[in-house]
């Protein structure tokens, strides 16, 4: 009997010790939310939001809060506004150990993948979404709640982490190629419906060849170097990450990086935001022929648009801005990244407080908020309900709105089926950082990474400075550590049992 008990304790110890690295599903299933919402209690919900330093976006949040509080008078929403997703992420990480996270925040899925390392840090959205009373389209929800099937499935699925819903989509964007149409035609080119990389490089080379003045000229500027890398990999059907492991430190990438070195350092065909500044600051002044930037930044792009740098105003002749999908390897197989903020709901000891948070989170998916926030820049709503509404269709066909912004929004809607996302896991942020690190290393002026051997050195630096060693070996490390801890537990139990046996003999 004693041996049997010891054996059971050993098995129990093993599972206890190895559960510290369990999947998302093992971290939230022990929380059961109430079937009804207690409206006799008062709740204070802290909401950490992000805008792009725009008052119109802040006003959308403020109106959403005011409208929600009129419906649920017992729920107070406290807004804290950020101008950077990274700052929200850092503050959440700091507050997790003390259980002082906000109730709701704007986040990216890979950030939430890290939050999920803590038990019940993030609320179980699968359970909340499906609740018949206060879930999506729930019968007791006091506003016109969106139903699950009314959310664009591709956008909703982007929030799946380890097979469970980790976040709700808020609004979505992608990247676009913003083109000075007059400049391109002046160079003797027509703009295709789907620009290829070959076409882009040909135009850039012609621009350099005909730039006989001393004016600054960057034919192409790419805002997000990590997206540039990731999108190219996707278009080439080459792996970026797979099964939570980095797969891009290889000879295929080496060939790509050496080509980018040649085009940036030898031929001066392109640069990146980190090397020169915001693409709009050059495009709007005829110092850039075309630029890749987020559709969310469309209001900055084009002649006469506001620029990011103070005092940087439009110069030269006016021009028409044309918006196209990002450069493609194959114009018959469009691949462009899906991005944009999502909504994270945090777990709390008071389950009714979580339900109150959830009600506000889903209120952000109602038409007024979806259309209001999307119309501030080149975002698009995440619900078919909003996209197909008369109000939003009228907005897209407006003759008074910023034309570039409307082009960008239509581009995203027309290409929803052509968008993709990268794998989301703990450490996926490191992979994105590494992608940017590689591009910037070869693009920077006088870069030393111009040979195969030096790219090998760059790979070593990339692993070291972007925590890729931890990322690539994480699963192996977890297994080894778990087995090691379990072994220690088993030894402790065996020694304890032996000690008890010795003490009993002395009795």
């Amino acid at each position: 009997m004693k041996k049997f008990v010891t054996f059971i304790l050993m098995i129990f110890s093993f599972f206890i010790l190895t559960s510290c690295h369990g999947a998302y599903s093992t971290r939230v299933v022990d929380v059961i939310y109430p079937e009804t919402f207690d409206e006799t209690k008062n709740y204070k919900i802290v909401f950490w939001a992000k805008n792009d330093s725009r008052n119109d976006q802040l006003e959308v949040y403020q109106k959403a809060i005011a409208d929600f509080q009129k419906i649920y008078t017992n729920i107070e929403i406290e807004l804290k506004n950020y101008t950077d997703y990274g700052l929200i992420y850092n503050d959440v990480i700091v507050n997790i150990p003390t259980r002082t996270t906000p109730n709701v925040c704007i986040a990216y899925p890979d950030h939430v993948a890290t939050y999920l390392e803590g038990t019940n840090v993030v609320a179980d959205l699968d359970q909340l979404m499906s609740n018949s009373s206060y879930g999506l389209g729930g019968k007791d929800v006091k506003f016109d709640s969106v139903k699950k099937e009314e959310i664009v499935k591709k956008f909703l699925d982007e929030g799946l982490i380890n097979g469970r819903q980790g976040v709700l989509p808020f609004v979505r964007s992608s990247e676009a190629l913003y083109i000075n149409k007059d400049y391109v035609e002046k160079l003797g080119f027509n703009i295709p419906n789907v620009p290829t990389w070959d076409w882009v490089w040909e135009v850039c080379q012609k621009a350099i060849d005909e730039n006989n003045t001393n004016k600054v000229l960057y034919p192409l500027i790419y805002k997000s170097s990590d997206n540039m890398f990731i999108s190219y990999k996707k278009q080439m059907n080459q792996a970026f990450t797979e099964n939570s492991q980095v797969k891009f430190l290889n000879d295929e990438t080496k060939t790509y990086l050496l080509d980018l070195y040649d085009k940036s350092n030898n031929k001066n065909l392109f640069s990146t935001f980190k090397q020169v500044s915001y693409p709009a600051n050059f495009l709007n002044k005829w110092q850039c022929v075309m630029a890749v930037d987020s559709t969310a930044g469309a209001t900055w792009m084009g002649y006469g648009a506001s620029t990011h740098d103070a005092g940087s105003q439009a110069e030269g002749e006016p021009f028409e801005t044309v918006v196209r999908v990002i450069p493609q390897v194959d114009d018959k197989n469009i691949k462009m990244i899906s991005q944009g903020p999502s909504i994270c709901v945090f777990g709390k000891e008071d389950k009714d407080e979580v339900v109150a948070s959830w009600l506000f989170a889903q209120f952000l998916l109602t038409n007024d908020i979806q259309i209001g926030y999307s119309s501030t820049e080149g975002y698009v709503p995440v619900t078919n309900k909003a996209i197909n509404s008369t109000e939003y269709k009228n907005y897209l066909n407006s003759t008074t709105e910023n034309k570039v912004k409307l082009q960008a929004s239509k581009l995203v809607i027309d290409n929803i089926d052509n968008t993709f996302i990268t794998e989301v896991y703990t450490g996926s942020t490191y992979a994105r950082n590494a992608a940017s690190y590689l591009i910037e290393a070869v693009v920077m002026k006088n870069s030393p990474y111009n040979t195969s051997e030096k790219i090998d050195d760059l790979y070593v630096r990339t692993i070291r400075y972007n925590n890729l060693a931890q990322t690539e070996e994480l699963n192996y490390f977890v297994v080894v550590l778990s087995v090691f801890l379990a072994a220690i537990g088993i030894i402790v139990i065996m020694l304890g049992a032996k000690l008890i046996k010795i003490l009993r003999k002395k009795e």
Side-chain angles (χ1 to χ4, degrees), residues 183-326:
Y183 204 149
V184 170
E185 292 180 347
K186 183 179 178 181
L187 293 170
F189 294 90
N190 294 319
I191 299 174
N193 290 329
V194 181
T196 63
W197 276 110
D198 289 340
W199 178 84
V200 166
W201 295 132
E202 186 178 358
V203 173
C204 290
Q205 186 62 64
K206 187 71 174 294
I208 288 294
D209 293 343
E210 296 195 2
N211 182 29
N212 298 319
T213 67
N214 291 323
K215 74 173 185 178
V216 173
L217 178 63
Y218 299 101
L220 171 69
I221 300 177
Y222 212 117
K223 172 64 161 42
S224 172
S225 47
D226 53 337
N227 280 350
M228 180 182 187
F229 183 94
I230 293 166
S231 297
Y232 183 80
K233 281 289 182 183
K234 186 69 174 181
Q235 292 173 16
M236 290 291 290
N237 293 316
Q238 297 172 1
F240 176 61
T241 63
E242 189 175 281
N243 297 323
S244 305
Q245 293 188 2
V246 165
K247 294 294 183 181
F248 55 80
L249 299 177
N250 51 34
D251 289 341
E252 293 171 333
T253 297
K254 184 181 296 186
T255 300
Y256 177 54
L257 293 175
L258 290 174
D259 181 58
L260 291 183
Y261 172 90
D262 179 57
K263 287 182 168 62
S264 58
N265 270 276
N266 296 333
K267 298 178 179 178
N268 300 313
L269 301 186
F270 91 105
S271 193
T272 65
F273 159 71
K274 289 184 179 179
Q275 300 300 320
V276 296
S277 186
Y278 290 98
N281 293 339
F282 298 90
L283 179 75
N284 300 356
K285 298 189 296 182
W286 286 76
Q287 294 176 341
C288 173
V289 181
M290 60 190 92
V292 176
D293 204 337
S294 170
T295 59
T299 52
W300 303 103
M301 312 299 290
Y303 186 86
S306 300
T307 52
H308 284 272
D309 291 345
S312 180
Q313 302 299 321
E315 298 175 3
E317 300 176 6
F319 64 88
E320 180 182 352
T321 304
V322 170
V323 183
R324 293 287 190 266
V325 298
I326 62 172

Side-chain angles (χ1 to χ4, degrees), residues 69-107:
Q69 290 179 152
K70 289 176 184 176
I71 300 170
Y72 287 96
T73 56
N74 62 319
I75 303 177
E76 177 189 352
I77 309 296
E78 179 184 301
L79 173 66
K80 182 177 181 181
N81 191 53
Y82 289 78
T83 57
D84 185 87
Y85 295 108
L87 294 177
I88 296 178
Y89 170 74
N90 290 337
D91 281 0
V92 169
I93 292 298
V94 168
N95 282 273
I96 285 176
T98 56
R99 291 287 178 178
T100 53
T101 59
N103 297 91
V104 181
C105 83
I106 299 299

